[in-house]
Amino acid sequence: MSLTMATIKNDFPQWPLSLFWLPHLREIGILMGGYFAYMYSRALVFSDFQSTALDNARRVIEFEKNLGFFWEPGWQSWAIASTKSLVIFLNWAYIVTFWPIILTSAVILYFTNRKRYLYYRNVVLFSFAIALLGFMLFPLAPPRMIAEHFVDTIKAFGPSGYASREFANYYNAYAAMPSLHFSWTVLFGVMFLRTHNRWVKLIGIIYPTMTLFAITITGNHYIMDAVGGGL
C-alpha cells in the first residue's frame, strides 16, 4: 500500500501554490500589459495627437466622399428620425456585445479548451499589435466628434454613464482606425461559421453585420475603420 501511495505521489507531485497560479497570472499580466500599451502609447508619435486626430478625421471623410460611400451621416439621420428605439438598441449593442462577450468567451475557452484559447489569444494579440501601430501613426477622432456631420447618440440617448467625461479617462478616444470593435467581431463571426450548427452559422453573419451598423450609426467609427479592422 505504501508503494502504491508513493507511486501516486510521484505521478502527481504537489506543485507549490505559486507555480500553480503562474500561468493564470501570466494571462492576466498580458491583458493588463496590452491595456497600458493601448493607453500610454498614443502620444509617442504625435505630441498634439488630439489636433492630429481631428485633421485625420476630415481626411477620412473627404476620402470616403471622393469614393462615393460617405453613408454614415445618412444612416444615422434616418435611424434618429425614423426609429429612435433602434438607435438606443444599437447604443447598447455597441457596449454590451463587445468586451463582455470577448471576456466571457475567453474565460470559457481558457478553462475548457486551452489549445483553442491560446490560438485565438495569439490572433487577437497579433491584430492588436497591428492596430496599436495604427493608433500611434494615424490617430483618428471618431465621427461623433465631428459635430457638423454627426450626433453622439450614446451621449444623446444613453446610457449616459458610458459617455461621461470620467469614463473617457479609461479609453483612447482617438483610436478609431482600425476598428478593433469590428475586427474582433469578425473573428467571432468566423468562429461561428466554422461550427456545424446552421443557427450558430447564422449568428456568424448577423453579429458582424449588426456591429457594422452599431459602430457607424452611434458615431463611433467610419466605414473605413471597419474596412481596416476587417482586413
Side-chain angles (χ1 to χ4, degrees):
M1 181 177 178
S2 59
L3 179 62
T4 303
M5 293 300 295
T7 303
I8 293 174
K9 188 175 181 180
N10 289 333
D11 287 342
F12 299 96
Q14 300 298 311
W15 295 104
L17 188 61
S18 59
L19 291 180
F20 173 80
W21 284 104
L22 191 60
H24 312 314
L25 294 175
R26 182 187 61 201
E27 295 303 315
I28 295 172
I30 290 173
L31 180 65
M32 294 180 64
Y35 173 73
F36 283 109
Y38 160 79
M39 284 297 295
Y40 296 107
S41 63
R42 54 187 172 178
L44 291 180
V45 178
F46 300 99
S47 56
D48 189 11
F49 64 92
Q50 293 97 334
S51 298
T52 305
L54 289 168
D55 291 339
N56 287 338
R58 291 180 173 85
R59 291 188 181 97
V60 170
I61 289 172
E62 285 303 313
F63 180 78
E64 290 190 358
K65 284 182 177 178
N66 291 335
L67 292 182
F69 60 88
F70 185 51
W71 301 327
E72 302 93 307
W75 292 351
Q76 189 184 70
S77 298
W78 173 85
I80 292 173
S82 304
T83 53
K84 195 176 294 184
S85 58
L86 174 63
V87 179
I88 296 172
F89 168 77
L90 291 175
N91 284 353
W92 281 100
Y94 176 81
I95 297 168
V96 303
T97 66
F98 187 57
W99 281 117
I101 288 181
I102 289 174
L103 294 175
T104 301
S105 301
V107 169
I108 291 172
L109 271 181
Y110 183 80
F111 287 107
T112 61
N113 193 327
R114 192 68 56 86
K115 185 177 180 180
R116 287 192 69 198
Y117 165 81
L118 292 173
Y119 170 76
Y120 286 114
R121 183 206 67 181
N122 291 339
V123 171
V124 165
L125 289 177
F126 181 70
S127 62
F128 176 73
I130 295 173
L132 203 60
L133 288 175
F135 301 156
M136 289 189 294
L137 298 175
F138 193 77
L140 179 62
R144 57 187 169 80
M145 293 186 181
I146 312 300
E148 61 263 34
H149 293 296
F150 296 97
V151 174
D152 185 341
T153 63
I154 293 178
K155 186 175 182 180
F157 305 112
S160 57
Y162 191 83
S164 67
R165 186 184 299 272
E166 293 76 16
F167 189 80
N169 294 326
Y170 297 99
Y171 66 91
N172 181 1
Y174 304 99
M177 170 67 82
S179 169
L180 286 178
H181 215 112
F182 187 69
S183 176
W184 292 346
T185 302
V186 170
L187 172 64
F188 274 99
V190 172
M191 290 171 62
F192 296 151
L193 287 170
R194 284 179 173 175
T195 66
H196 299 291
N197 186 302
R198 75 171 83 178
W199 297 110
V200 176
K201 285 180 182 288
L202 186 60
I203 295 173
I205 297 172
I206 293 173
Y207 185 31
T209 303
M210 180 192 72
T211 300
L212 173 63
F213 287 109
I215 64 177
T216 51
I217 290 177
T218 60
N220 281 283
H221 286 283
Y222 307 92
I223 292 174
M224 279 306 303
D225 300 341
V227 172
L231 291 175

